[in-house]
Amino acid sequence: MKKLVATVYIRDGVVYSDPACSVLFDSPDGGSAAVYYSNTGMDAVCLLEFSDTDSEHEKNLACMKALMREAEIPVYAGGLVKRFEDVKKYLYTGAEKAVFLQNKKTWENALSEASSRFGAEKIIYGVWESDSSLQNYQTAAEFVEMFYLPIDSLQDITAVLKMNRSIFAVYQGETASEALKLLEQKEVSVLGGRWIDSFDFDAAAFKRVCQDAGLEMMLTSVRFSWEDLKKNTDGLIPVVVQDDRTQQVLMLAYMNQEAFEQTIQTGRMTYYSRSRQQLWIKGLTSGHFQYVKELTADCDFDTLLAKVSQIGAACHTGSYSCFFHTIFDKKRKVRNPLEVLEAEYAVIADRKEHPKEGSYTNYLFEKGIDKILKKVGEEAAEIIIAAKNPNPEEVKYEMADFLYHAMVMMVECGITWEEVIGEIANR
């Protein structure tokens, strides 16, 4: 299976589009690099960091972790390795693979230790300077299964092809035909480079070109066609649109056959505007694109449910959802677990921002982090004691206490539930 991997560069905790770290990453839809490449058909994203000091290195790692939480695709992480601990930290960010770019004369010992500790399949070895000796790759072949190889053309790869290692080819040109030639090489399993990183690059279209050339690409499988759906009298089908992350219903629109097929091919939600009687790519004028994550037909095949990654607002009024006119609201307890936790977190955060006399929450904030941590520890111990008893109600009660105090700690430390859930999902 061949993969397309976009690369971004990090220096001093800031994300850049170019290896020289001179152009800030600024995606067309305003999202982060992880979100943008997850939405636009990439198979993975490679994060390369460059640091001159340990403090800058730690800042870059924190940036990597933040991007990792937002990514819906695999992430490779790496940079100019100084010691074995660098590789360990790259993998501990949650990365699928560490990119070991040679930096010091002692690199061989660090690479050997990393390979022994984590396995050759977890390490990608590369030389950053283009004039480095081919001997380095021959030495590294003992410890890794994949090479990172910046190249301008197929000619630059010939010698490395003989080493019987998988290659992450970082193509420096901008020609689709040359990129295809590279990917057609048996050893080239990953293709990246500035052409693929470009915001003008159409991953879905290039994958179709590769597939037509007989290459096995990571493509979305479509189980039903337009012909399987039941259209209304106008030849359209309604689409209910839902936020993939929060499950909030965003809008209702319609598709004709062209809109349906274009949505599947491009990954961006495309509708048919009944008022304008033309195709409508959501976000084309506003920048508020919708990237499709899942498309499901109902039991009668006459309505579609689209789960999307929504950029900006879904509604033309500026509201995130089109559904905001409450006709009636039957008061009830909210049962959605994350919604409950988010609501409780919001109350705690508001107490910190707007103190209320007599509030226990404000008492904890006033006493500071040591008091908060003491209470978190006490409540954790209470859970352990409760769990030794046969009554599950006691465990529930103690867990609720623990979660409340944990949320006070989260607010104090500036950590949100979205970040915590993202970390769990990343594992």
Side-chain angles (χ1 to χ4, degrees):
M1 182 76 72
K2 306 285 187 173
K3 296 180 181 179
L4 302 181
V5 177
T7 305
V8 293
Y9 308 86
I10 303 170
R11 180 175 283 280
D12 200 28
V14 179
V15 182
Y16 294 88
S17 295
D18 64 316
C21 294
S22 61
V23 180
L24 290 173
F25 185 90
D26 185 18
S27 69
D29 58 23
S32 73
V35 171
Y36 178 77
Y37 288 126
S38 293
N39 285 335
T40 52
M42 289 297 168
D43 302 313
V45 61
C46 180
L47 311 177
L48 295 182
E49 66 92 15
F50 302 92
S51 53
D52 299 319
T53 64
D54 287 344
S55 61
E56 187 180 359
H57 181 50
E58 291 302 320
K59 190 183 292 187
N60 291 343
L61 289 170
C63 180
M64 283 180 161
K65 290 177 182 178
L67 290 169
M68 205 86 62
R69 284 193 290 267
E70 296 183 318
E72 297 177 354
I73 52 179
V75 177
Y76 307 155
L80 295 171
V81 174
K82 302 179 180 69
R83 50 192 178 269
F84 161 73
E85 283 73 19
D86 292 336
V87 182
K88 180 172 69 174
K89 287 180 178 180
Y90 292 143
L91 289 173
Y92 283 4
T93 63
E96 182 176 282
K97 296 179 185 293
V99 182
F100 186 116
L101 298 180
Q102 183 189 325
N103 186 46
K104 298 282 186 180
K105 290 183 178 179
T106 56
W107 65 271
E108 191 174 346
N109 291 335
L111 182 62
S112 172
E113 187 175 356
S115 178
S116 174
R117 171 79 175 272
F118 300 109
E121 73 282 358
K122 299 288 286 186
I123 315 296
I124 303 173
Y125 170 81
V127 177
W128 187 245
E129 297 80 6
S130 59
D131 60 349
S132 295
S133 169
L134 189 64
Q135 180 65 38
N136 293 322
Y137 283 99
Q138 293 171 335
T139 302
E142 178 184 350
F143 307 112
V144 300
E145 294 180 0
M146 182 181 290
F147 289 147
Y148 176 95
L149 189 63
I151 51 177
D152 292 317
S153 68
L154 184 59
Q155 293 179 341
D156 299 333
I157 207 172
T158 305
V160 181
L161 289 175
K162 299 175 183 178
M163 296 185 191
N164 195 30
R165 287 293 180 272
S166 179
I167 295 174
F168 179 164
V170 185
Y171 176 49
Q172 304 300 305
E174 299 179 358
T175 307
S177 58
E178 184 70 26
L180 178 60
K181 288 179 184 177
L182 285 170
L183 209 50
E184 285 177 329
Q185 301 304 304
K186 181 183 69 173
E187 291 82 357
V188 176
S189 58
V190 176
L191 183 66
R194 61 187 181 188
W195 180 61
I196 286 174
D197 301 340
S198 167
F199 298 140
D200 296 326
F201 179 69
D202 188 333
F206 184 64
K207 284 184 178 183
R208 290 195 295 273
V209 170
C210 294
Q211 189 178 46
D212 291 342
L215 299 179
E216 187 179 2
M217 306 297 294
M218 297 182 69
L219 290 167
T220 303
S221 59
V222 181
R223 297 173 185 171
F224 298 101
S225 67
W226 178 255
E227 287 70 27
D228 296 313
L229 306 176
K230 296 178 183 177
K231 280 69 72 175
N232 64 17
T233 54
D234 296 323
L236 306 175
I237 190 165
V239 186
V240 178
V241 186
Q242 189 177 29
D243 187 304
D244 181 58
R245 183 177 58 87
T246 66
Q247 309 305 311
Q248 182 178 4
V249 176
L250 301 178
M251 57 182 282
L252 173 71
Y254 288 81
M255 284 183 177
N256 62 4
Q257 181 173 359
E258 188 177 1
F260 174 81
E261 292 175 349
Q262 187 166 312
T263 294
I264 291 172
Q265 289 178 359
T266 66
R268 292 193 301 193
M269 292 301 295
T270 305
Y271 306 106
Y272 180 77
S273 171
R274 294 173 298 167
S275 60
R276 297 192 300 269
Q277 295 195 339
Q278 64 183 34
L279 283 188
W280 162 35
I281 300 174
K282 177 67 175 173
L284 196 59
T285 55
S286 66
H288 296 168
F289 292 102
Q290 290 175 343
Y291 296 97
V292 61
K293 299 300 178 182
E294 183 180 316
L295 202 57
T296 308
D298 73 343
C299 55
D300 295 320
F301 282 88
D302 60 5
T303 305
L304 297 179
L305 174 64
K307 293 188 177 182
V308 305
S309 171
Q310 174 69 54
I311 305 300
C315 184
H316 72 283
T317 65
S319 172
Y320 187 67
S321 168
C322 291
F323 296 91
F324 56 85
H325 293 299
T326 302
I327 296 174
F328 82 91
D329 182 5
K330 187 174 182 180
K331 299 304 178 184
R332 69 230 184 263
K333 284 187 177 180
V334 177
R335 297 295 185 184
N336 182 302
L338 184 55
E339 197 173 335
V340 172
L341 292 173
E342 287 276 21
E344 180 72 6
Y345 180 95
V347 172
I348 294 170
D350 184 69
R351 285 287 187 273
K352 183 174 175 63
E353 189 72 21
H354 307 100
K356 185 176 179 180
E357 188 176 352
S359 165
Y360 174 66
T361 302
N362 281 132
Y363 163 76
L364 291 174
F365 284 132
E366 288 167 6
K367 291 297 183 180
I369 188 65
D370 288 344
K371 177 65 175 179
I372 294 169
L373 295 178
K374 182 173 183 291
K375 289 300 298 181
V376 170
E378 289 174 358
E379 297 302 335
E382 292 291 342
I383 293 175
I384 295 170
I385 295 169
K388 292 291 289 183
N389 299 324
N391 187 357
E393 295 304 318
E394 189 178 346
V395 178
K396 296 176 193 176
Y397 181 87
E398 297 300 345
M399 285 194 69
D401 268 358
F402 171 79
L403 286 171
Y404 159 74
H405 287 92
M407 281 188 279
V408 175
M409 178 190 68
M410 287 165 61
V411 172
E412 182 70 10
C413 295
I415 299 169
T416 66
W417 272 117
E418 186 173 358
E419 292 172 323
V420 173
I421 297 301
E423 180 67 25
I424 294 171
N426 189 49
R427 295 182 183 184

